[in-house]
Amino acid sequence: MTYFMSFLEYIPFWFFIRIMKFLNFNTRISVSAKVIGFLIRNIPKYKKRVFKNLELIYPKMSNLERKKFLKKFSQNLGLTFSEFLFNEEYHRYQNIKFRNCSEISEILEAVKINRPVLIVSGHIGPWEAVRALLRRNGIETAAIYRKSKNVFYQPYHHKTIEAGGKPIFQVGRKGTSAMIKFLKRGGVVCMMIDQAVSEGKYMDFMGIPAKTSLAIANIAIKYDALIIPAYAIRKEENKPIQVIIEPSLKISDPFKIIEKLNKSLENMVRKYPSQWYWVHNRWK
């Protein structure tokens, strides 16, 4: 992306953010979600990607069903992305609860003895809610993120992720090195497993081979890190977001760890399909 094109893309976003900040948090999220949801289901490249992925995973879904699904999915993603854009306020105001308060106990015990913790999730539901609720319970979480291709948006992107917890590490050799140093001191890091990576291995996800990184498993094994799947799900309108923390995985063979993590996420996607990020090019 050229410098000039990046600037042209950023201008509408800049104006949108400035206008939204005149509104109170709840109104801002509501209006922003409608705008973003509308764009997602009407911009051809996003619509095409969603339909392509749906055809791959749900080949029997009719065209009418896909259109209905796209509307529901875009509404969910519009809401999640709106919350993310205003992450600082989201962490303060959002209504979030654990499915079961006892599910946090393994993490708390690990933090007490300075054992590294890897919390593994995917782009499903309001994923930032996991970090928000852990922070409310005294656990600051670091995160790994991909640098934006737009040089003008990147500072805002960095600031938004950092609002959820510090430090944050950029994908790459330097970021990985800093993250490992943080983990070795007993840090807690949140990671996503559902993006295709060039160095990944093809492993089953939703019944189709998808390139998946083994890095999470290798790090967990090397540094004896507690590795825990966790998700945030919207259950009902106007009800608290539910954070689900599953039992830790047994440290074993890297492939077995990733298989279990993929299966855990797949179960969530099957249960709440419209809440997953279907615009990802997951099966490329």
Side-chain angles (χ1 to χ4, degrees):
M1 184 180 294
T2 66
Y3 193 82
F4 182 66
M5 286 301 296
S6 294
F7 179 71
L8 290 180
E9 281 191 0
Y10 183 69
I11 289 174
F13 173 81
W14 186 89
F15 276 108
F16 177 72
I17 292 296
R18 295 301 180 278
I19 292 170
M20 288 296 102
K21 286 190 174 182
F22 283 106
L23 306 174
N24 66 53
F25 177 72
N26 289 328
T27 304
R28 184 191 315 166
I29 295 301
S30 178
V31 172
S32 176
K34 287 180 173 62
V35 172
I36 295 172
F38 176 83
L39 292 174
I40 291 167
R41 62 180 174 269
N42 286 284
I43 292 177
K45 71 174 182 178
Y46 295 141
K47 182 178 179 180
K48 183 179 179 181
R49 179 74 56 74
V50 173
F51 279 6
K52 178 183 175 183
N53 285 336
L54 287 176
E55 187 175 356
L56 186 66
I57 304 303
Y58 299 112
K60 294 182 180 179
M61 186 180 283
S62 69
N63 190 50
L64 178 60
E65 287 172 327
R66 284 200 299 269
K67 288 180 179 178
K68 288 181 178 179
F69 184 94
L70 176 64
K71 183 175 182 180
K72 188 175 181 180
F73 157 75
S74 64
Q75 290 170 340
N76 279 327
L77 185 56
L79 186 53
T80 294
F81 193 60
S82 297
E83 292 164 343
F84 173 74
L85 289 177
F86 306 103
N87 205 17
E88 187 174 351
E89 294 99 320
Y90 175 82
H91 274 247
R92 289 203 303 267
Y93 302 132
Q94 190 55 270
N95 188 9
I96 312 167
K97 290 185 178 180
F98 286 117
R99 176 180 62 179
N100 187 324
C101 291
S102 66
E103 291 178 349
I104 196 178
S105 59
E106 276 195 289
I107 301 173
L108 291 171
E109 288 300 316
V111 170
K112 283 181 184 178
I113 61 174
N114 289 325
R115 183 181 180 186
V117 180
L118 291 172
I119 296 174
V120 184
S121 190
H123 294 85
I124 184 168
W127 53 83
E128 272 291 318
V130 174
R131 299 177 75 205
L133 193 51
L134 288 174
R135 174 185 268 180
R136 291 178 193 179
N137 284 268
I139 302 171
E140 184 85 358
T141 59
I144 297 176
Y145 80 105
R146 291 181 181 274
K147 184 178 180 180
S148 173
K149 293 179 181 179
N150 189 303
V151 296
F152 295 96
Y153 172 68
Q154 168 57 22
Y156 188 90
H157 185 58
H158 181 102
K159 182 181 177 182
T160 298
I161 297 172
E162 197 173 54
K166 298 178 182 179
I168 62 173
F169 308 105
Q170 196 177 116
V171 170
R173 184 176 298 177
K174 186 177 179 180
T176 300
S177 178
M179 181 199 69
I180 288 173
K181 288 179 181 178
F182 176 76
L183 274 174
K184 288 167 71 174
R185 298 195 300 269
V188 182
V189 179
C190 289
M191 309 175 80
M192 301 289 194
I193 198 175
D194 57 350
Q195 285 184 295
V197 290
S198 58
E199 74 278 7
K201 303 293 183 182
Y202 280 103
M203 300 184 71
D204 181 84
F205 180 63
M206 304 285 286
I208 305 291
K211 267 198 169 183
T212 309
S213 173
L214 296 176
I216 296 172
N218 289 327
I219 290 170
I221 292 168
K222 187 171 182 178
Y223 299 103
D224 189 33
L226 193 70
I227 185 163
I228 295 183
Y231 309 97
I233 299 295
R234 298 186 197 279
K235 301 294 286 187
E236 297 177 48
E237 191 174 354
N238 300 321
K239 295 288 184 180
I241 290 166
Q242 186 179 85
V243 169
I244 300 165
I245 299 179
E246 297 183 348
S248 62
L249 301 183
K250 181 181 178 181
I251 300 299
S252 57
D253 175 80
F255 282 91
K256 289 182 179 178
I257 292 174
I258 299 302
E259 282 176 355
K260 289 177 181 178
L261 288 172
N262 270 354
K263 181 55 68 174
S264 172
L265 176 58
E266 178 181 328
N267 290 339
M268 284 294 167
V269 177
R270 296 285 188 190
K271 195 171 182 180
Y272 307 101
S274 65
Q275 295 194 42
W276 189 59
Y277 196 65
W278 289 90
V279 293
H280 269 165
N281 193 4
R282 185 68 187 96
W283 294 277
K284 62 182 179 181

mmCIF file of all heavy atoms in Angstrom, residues 76-77 80-81 83 90 121-129 192 231-234 241 272 274-277:
data_model
loop_
_atom_site.group_PDB
_atom_site.id
_atom_site.type_symbol
_atom_site.label_atom_id
_atom_site.label_comp_id
_atom_site.label_asym_id
_atom_site.label_seq_id
_atom_site.Cartn_x
_atom_site.Cartn_y
_atom_site.Cartn_z
ATOM 1 N N ASN A 76 -22.829 -8.504 14.377
ATOM 2 C CA ASN A 76 -21.955 -8.922 15.475
ATOM 3 C C ASN A 76 -20.561 -8.325 15.338
ATOM 4 O O ASN A 76 -19.996 -7.798 16.304
ATOM 5 C CB ASN A 76 -21.847 -10.450 15.529
ATOM 6 C CG ASN A 76 -23.028 -11.099 16.219
ATOM 7 O OD1 ASN A 76 -23.602 -10.542 17.149
ATOM 8 N ND2 ASN A 76 -23.414 -12.278 15.767
ATOM 9 N N LEU A 77 -20.001 -8.419 14.127
ATOM 10 C CA LEU A 77 -18.650 -7.913 13.912
ATOM 11 C C LEU A 77 -18.613 -6.389 14.025
ATOM 12 O O LEU A 77 -17.647 -5.821 14.556
ATOM 13 C CB LEU A 77 -18.113 -8.358 12.559
ATOM 14 C CG LEU A 77 -16.656 -7.984 12.269
ATOM 15 C CD1 LEU A 77 -15.726 -8.509 13.360
ATOM 16 C CD2 LEU A 77 -16.224 -8.505 10.908
ATOM 17 N N THR A 80 -18.474 -5.696 17.706
ATOM 18 C CA THR A 80 -17.164 -6.047 18.272
ATOM 19 C C THR A 80 -16.086 -5.050 17.841
ATOM 20 O O THR A 80 -15.279 -4.600 18.661
ATOM 21 C CB THR A 80 -16.748 -7.469 17.836
ATOM 22 O OG1 THR A 80 -17.646 -8.410 18.430
ATOM 23 C CG2 THR A 80 -15.337 -7.797 18.276
ATOM 24 N N PHE A 81 -16.068 -4.695 16.561
ATOM 25 C CA PHE A 81 -15.049 -3.779 16.070
ATOM 26 C C PHE A 81 -15.246 -2.374 16.645
ATOM 27 O O PHE A 81 -14.272 -1.674 16.938
ATOM 28 C CB PHE A 81 -15.055 -3.737 14.542
ATOM 29 C CG PHE A 81 -13.848 -3.057 13.956
ATOM 30 C CD1 PHE A 81 -12.574 -3.558 14.207
ATOM 31 C CD2 PHE A 81 -13.969 -1.935 13.165
ATOM 32 C CE1 PHE A 81 -11.447 -2.935 13.680
ATOM 33 C CE2 PHE A 81 -12.862 -1.305 12.640
ATOM 34 C CZ PHE A 81 -11.596 -1.800 12.883
ATOM 35 N N GLU A 83 -16.468 -1.703 19.619
ATOM 36 C CA GLU A 83 -15.949 -1.780 20.991
ATOM 37 C C GLU A 83 -14.431 -1.714 20.995
ATOM 38 O O GLU A 83 -13.821 -1.064 21.850
ATOM 39 C CB GLU A 83 -16.438 -3.062 21.656
ATOM 40 C CG GLU A 83 -17.939 -3.073 21.910
ATOM 41 C CD GLU A 83 -18.492 -4.457 22.200
ATOM 42 O OE1 GLU A 83 -17.798 -5.462 21.890
ATOM 43 O OE2 GLU A 83 -19.615 -4.543 22.711
ATOM 44 N N TYR A 90 -14.254 0.794 26.671
ATOM 45 C CA TYR A 90 -14.841 -0.549 26.706
ATOM 46 C C TYR A 90 -14.408 -1.301 27.958
ATOM 47 O O TYR A 90 -15.223 -1.934 28.639
ATOM 48 C CB TYR A 90 -14.413 -1.320 25.451
ATOM 49 C CG TYR A 90 -14.855 -2.768 25.427
ATOM 50 C CD1 TYR A 90 -16.141 -3.098 25.032
ATOM 51 C CD2 TYR A 90 -13.991 -3.784 25.792
ATOM 52 C CE1 TYR A 90 -16.552 -4.421 24.995
ATOM 53 C CE2 TYR A 90 -14.394 -5.110 25.764
ATOM 54 C CZ TYR A 90 -15.673 -5.422 25.365
ATOM 55 O OH TYR A 90 -16.081 -6.731 25.351
ATOM 56 N N SER A 121 -6.983 -17.810 22.391
ATOM 57 C CA SER A 121 -8.354 -17.585 21.950
ATOM 58 C C SER A 121 -8.386 -17.498 20.431
ATOM 59 O O SER A 121 -7.445 -17.890 19.745
ATOM 60 C CB SER A 121 -8.902 -16.295 22.584
ATOM 61 O OG SER A 121 -10.294 -16.175 22.354
ATOM 62 N N GLY A 122 -9.478 -16.997 19.903
ATOM 63 C CA GLY A 122 -9.632 -16.793 18.475
ATOM 64 C C GLY A 122 -10.495 -15.566 18.259
ATOM 65 O O GLY A 122 -11.017 -14.982 19.210
ATOM 66 N N HIS A 123 -10.656 -15.182 17.017
ATOM 67 C CA HIS A 123 -11.466 -13.997 16.708
ATOM 68 C C HIS A 123 -12.945 -14.377 16.693
ATOM 69 O O HIS A 123 -13.583 -14.448 15.648
ATOM 70 C CB HIS A 123 -11.029 -13.404 15.379
ATOM 71 C CG HIS A 123 -9.643 -12.845 15.404
ATOM 72 N ND1 HIS A 123 -8.528 -13.623 15.200
ATOM 73 C CD2 HIS A 123 -9.192 -11.588 15.655
ATOM 74 C CE1 HIS A 123 -7.442 -12.862 15.296
ATOM 75 N NE2 HIS A 123 -7.821 -11.634 15.572
ATOM 76 N N ILE A 124 -13.449 -14.635 17.870
ATOM 77 C CA ILE A 124 -14.862 -14.983 18.024
ATOM 78 C C ILE A 124 -15.449 -14.155 19.155
ATOM 79 O O ILE A 124 -14.827 -13.982 20.209
ATOM 80 C CB ILE A 124 -15.053 -16.488 18.303
ATOM 81 C CG1 ILE A 124 -16.555 -16.836 18.351
ATOM 82 C CG2 ILE A 124 -14.310 -16.945 19.540
ATOM 83 C CD1 ILE A 124 -16.848 -18.318 18.344
ATOM 84 N N GLY A 125 -16.649 -13.615 18.908
ATOM 85 C CA GLY A 125 -17.276 -12.773 19.916
ATOM 86 C C GLY A 125 -16.442 -11.537 20.203
ATOM 87 O O GLY A 125 -15.513 -11.198 19.468
ATOM 88 N N PRO A 126 -16.732 -10.837 21.286
ATOM 89 C CA PRO A 126 -15.973 -9.640 21.663
ATOM 90 C C PRO A 126 -14.684 -10.042 22.377
ATOM 91 O O PRO A 126 -14.580 -9.967 23.602
ATOM 92 C CB PRO A 126 -16.936 -8.908 22.601
ATOM 93 C CG PRO A 126 -17.757 -9.999 23.213
ATOM 94 C CD PRO A 126 -17.878 -11.072 22.169
ATOM 95 N N TRP A 127 -13.684 -10.500 21.607
ATOM 96 C CA TRP A 127 -12.505 -11.155 22.180
ATOM 97 C C TRP A 127 -11.764 -10.308 23.210
ATOM 98 O O TRP A 127 -11.130 -10.839 24.114
ATOM 99 C CB TRP A 127 -11.561 -11.621 21.076
ATOM 100 C CG TRP A 127 -11.162 -10.587 20.080
ATOM 101 C CD1 TRP A 127 -10.165 -9.661 20.214
ATOM 102 C CD2 TRP A 127 -11.735 -10.377 18.777
ATOM 103 N NE1 TRP A 127 -10.078 -8.882 19.083
ATOM 104 C CE2 TRP A 127 -11.022 -9.297 18.188
ATOM 105 C CE3 TRP A 127 -12.753 -10.986 18.057
ATOM 106 C CZ2 TRP A 127 -11.312 -8.826 16.903
ATOM 107 C CZ3 TRP A 127 -13.046 -10.518 16.785
ATOM 108 C CH2 TRP A 127 -12.339 -9.452 16.218
ATOM 109 N N GLU A 128 -11.845 -8.975 23.119
ATOM 110 C CA GLU A 128 -11.161 -8.128 24.099
ATOM 111 C C GLU A 128 -11.774 -8.250 25.498
ATOM 112 O O GLU A 128 -11.151 -7.862 26.487
ATOM 113 C CB GLU A 128 -11.193 -6.666 23.653
ATOM 114 C CG GLU A 128 -10.042 -6.267 22.753
ATOM 115 C CD GLU A 128 -8.701 -6.243 23.475
ATOM 116 O OE1 GLU A 128 -8.643 -5.763 24.622
ATOM 117 O OE2 GLU A 128 -7.707 -6.707 22.889
ATOM 118 N N ALA A 129 -12.975 -8.825 25.591
ATOM 119 C CA ALA A 129 -13.622 -8.975 26.887
ATOM 120 C C ALA A 129 -12.848 -9.907 27.811
ATOM 121 O O ALA A 129 -12.918 -9.773 29.037
ATOM 122 C CB ALA A 129 -15.051 -9.486 26.710
ATOM 123 N N MET A 192 -3.912 -15.307 19.743
ATOM 124 C CA MET A 192 -4.936 -15.822 18.840
ATOM 125 C C MET A 192 -4.341 -16.963 18.011
ATOM 126 O O MET A 192 -3.170 -16.925 17.632
ATOM 127 C CB MET A 192 -5.447 -14.732 17.905
ATOM 128 C CG MET A 192 -6.048 -13.538 18.615
ATOM 129 S SD MET A 192 -7.639 -13.913 19.384
ATOM 130 C CE MET A 192 -8.226 -12.260 19.726
ATOM 131 N N TYR A 231 -12.545 -17.710 25.844
ATOM 132 C CA TYR A 231 -13.382 -17.057 24.833
ATOM 133 C C TYR A 231 -14.355 -16.075 25.483
ATOM 134 O O TYR A 231 -14.690 -16.207 26.661
ATOM 135 C CB TYR A 231 -14.187 -18.105 24.048
ATOM 136 C CG TYR A 231 -13.339 -19.221 23.518
ATOM 137 C CD1 TYR A 231 -13.239 -20.433 24.206
ATOM 138 C CD2 TYR A 231 -12.599 -19.065 22.346
ATOM 139 C CE1 TYR A 231 -12.432 -21.453 23.741
ATOM 140 C CE2 TYR A 231 -11.786 -20.082 21.874
ATOM 141 C CZ TYR A 231 -11.706 -21.273 22.577
ATOM 142 O OH TYR A 231 -10.894 -22.285 22.125
ATOM 143 N N ALA A 232 -14.793 -15.114 24.677
ATOM 144 C CA ALA A 232 -15.850 -14.189 25.104
ATOM 145 C C ALA A 232 -17.003 -14.330 24.122
ATOM 146 O O ALA A 232 -16.807 -14.256 22.902
ATOM 147 C CB ALA A 232 -15.330 -12.754 25.122
ATOM 148 N N ILE A 233 -18.207 -14.544 24.640
ATOM 149 C CA ILE A 233 -19.366 -14.818 23.795
ATOM 150 C C ILE A 233 -20.532 -13.901 24.171
ATOM 151 O O ILE A 233 -20.800 -13.660 25.347
ATOM 152 C CB ILE A 233 -19.821 -16.292 23.955
ATOM 153 C CG1 ILE A 233 -18.693 -17.249 23.533
ATOM 154 C CG2 ILE A 233 -21.091 -16.571 23.165
ATOM 155 C CD1 ILE A 233 -18.314 -17.178 22.061
ATOM 156 N N ARG A 234 -21.222 -13.401 23.140
ATOM 157 C CA ARG A 234 -22.460 -12.652 23.387
ATOM 158 C C ARG A 234 -23.592 -13.666 23.482
ATOM 159 O O ARG A 234 -23.887 -14.364 22.514
ATOM 160 C CB ARG A 234 -22.754 -11.678 22.243
ATOM 161 C CG ARG A 234 -21.691 -10.621 22.055
ATOM 162 C CD ARG A 234 -22.118 -9.596 21.009
ATOM 163 N NE ARG A 234 -20.977 -8.844 20.543
ATOM 164 C CZ ARG A 234 -20.437 -7.808 21.178
ATOM 165 N NH1 ARG A 234 -20.964 -7.409 22.321
ATOM 166 N NH2 ARG A 234 -19.387 -7.184 20.690
ATOM 167 N N ILE A 241 -21.751 -9.986 28.629
ATOM 168 C CA ILE A 241 -20.898 -10.835 27.797
ATOM 169 C C ILE A 241 -20.341 -11.928 28.691
ATOM 170 O O ILE A 241 -19.949 -11.675 29.829
ATOM 171 C CB ILE A 241 -19.763 -10.000 27.178
ATOM 172 C CG1 ILE A 241 -20.333 -9.035 26.123
ATOM 173 C CG2 ILE A 241 -18.692 -10.891 26.552
ATOM 174 C CD1 ILE A 241 -19.381 -7.960 25.696
ATOM 175 N N TYR A 272 -21.506 -20.937 18.003
ATOM 176 C CA TYR A 272 -21.856 -19.524 17.793
ATOM 177 C C TYR A 272 -21.271 -19.054 16.452
ATOM 178 O O TYR A 272 -20.396 -18.185 16.415
ATOM 179 C CB TYR A 272 -21.303 -18.658 18.932
ATOM 180 C CG TYR A 272 -21.700 -19.127 20.310
ATOM 181 C CD1 TYR A 272 -20.809 -19.859 21.102
ATOM 182 C CD2 TYR A 272 -22.969 -18.848 20.828
ATOM 183 C CE1 TYR A 272 -21.174 -20.289 22.374
ATOM 184 C CE2 TYR A 272 -23.336 -19.271 22.095
ATOM 185 C CZ TYR A 272 -22.433 -20.001 22.861
ATOM 186 O OH TYR A 272 -22.797 -20.424 24.122
ATOM 187 N N SER A 274 -22.141 -17.165 13.902
ATOM 188 C CA SER A 274 -22.206 -15.775 13.430
ATOM 189 C C SER A 274 -21.290 -14.843 14.220
ATOM 190 O O SER A 274 -21.138 -13.674 13.874
ATOM 191 C CB SER A 274 -23.643 -15.247 13.498
ATOM 192 O OG SER A 274 -24.089 -15.170 14.840
ATOM 193 N N GLN A 275 -20.657 -15.375 15.282
ATOM 194 C CA GLN A 275 -19.770 -14.530 16.089
ATOM 195 C C GLN A 275 -18.295 -14.684 15.710
ATOM 196 O O GLN A 275 -17.439 -13.988 16.252
ATOM 197 C CB GLN A 275 -19.960 -14.831 17.576
ATOM 198 C CG GLN A 275 -21.350 -14.461 18.087
ATOM 199 C CD GLN A 275 -21.441 -14.436 19.595
ATOM 200 O OE1 GLN A 275 -20.552 -13.951 20.288
ATOM 201 N NE2 GLN A 275 -22.543 -14.945 20.125
ATOM 202 N N TRP A 276 -18.006 -15.618 14.788
ATOM 203 C CA TRP A 276 -16.612 -15.785 14.373
ATOM 204 C C TRP A 276 -16.276 -14.837 13.226
ATOM 205 O O TRP A 276 -17.161 -14.367 12.506
ATOM 206 C CB TRP A 276 -16.342 -17.238 13.952
ATOM 207 C CG TRP A 276 -14.886 -17.529 13.726
ATOM 208 C CD1 TRP A 276 -13.881 -17.394 14.626
ATOM 209 C CD2 TRP A 276 -14.283 -17.977 12.502
ATOM 210 N NE1 TRP A 276 -12.682 -17.746 14.052
ATOM 211 C CE2 TRP A 276 -12.897 -18.106 12.752
ATOM 212 C CE3 TRP A 276 -14.783 -18.292 11.240
ATOM 213 C CZ2 TRP A 276 -12.001 -18.529 11.779
ATOM 214 C CZ3 TRP A 276 -13.888 -18.723 10.277
ATOM 215 C CH2 TRP A 276 -12.515 -18.831 10.547
ATOM 216 N N TYR A 277 -14.986 -14.581 13.029
ATOM 217 C CA TYR A 277 -14.508 -13.598 12.058
ATOM 218 C C TYR A 277 -14.364 -14.230 10.673
ATOM 219 O O TYR A 277 -13.266 -14.586 10.240
ATOM 220 C CB TYR A 277 -13.162 -13.065 12.552
ATOM 221 C CG TYR A 277 -12.689 -11.786 11.913
ATOM 222 C CD1 TYR A 277 -13.377 -10.594 12.093
ATOM 223 C CD2 TYR A 277 -11.523 -11.769 11.152
ATOM 224 C CE1 TYR A 277 -12.921 -9.414 11.527
ATOM 225 C CE2 TYR A 277 -11.057 -10.597 10.583
ATOM 226 C CZ TYR A 277 -11.763 -9.420 10.781
ATOM 227 O OH TYR A 277 -11.303 -8.257 10.213
#
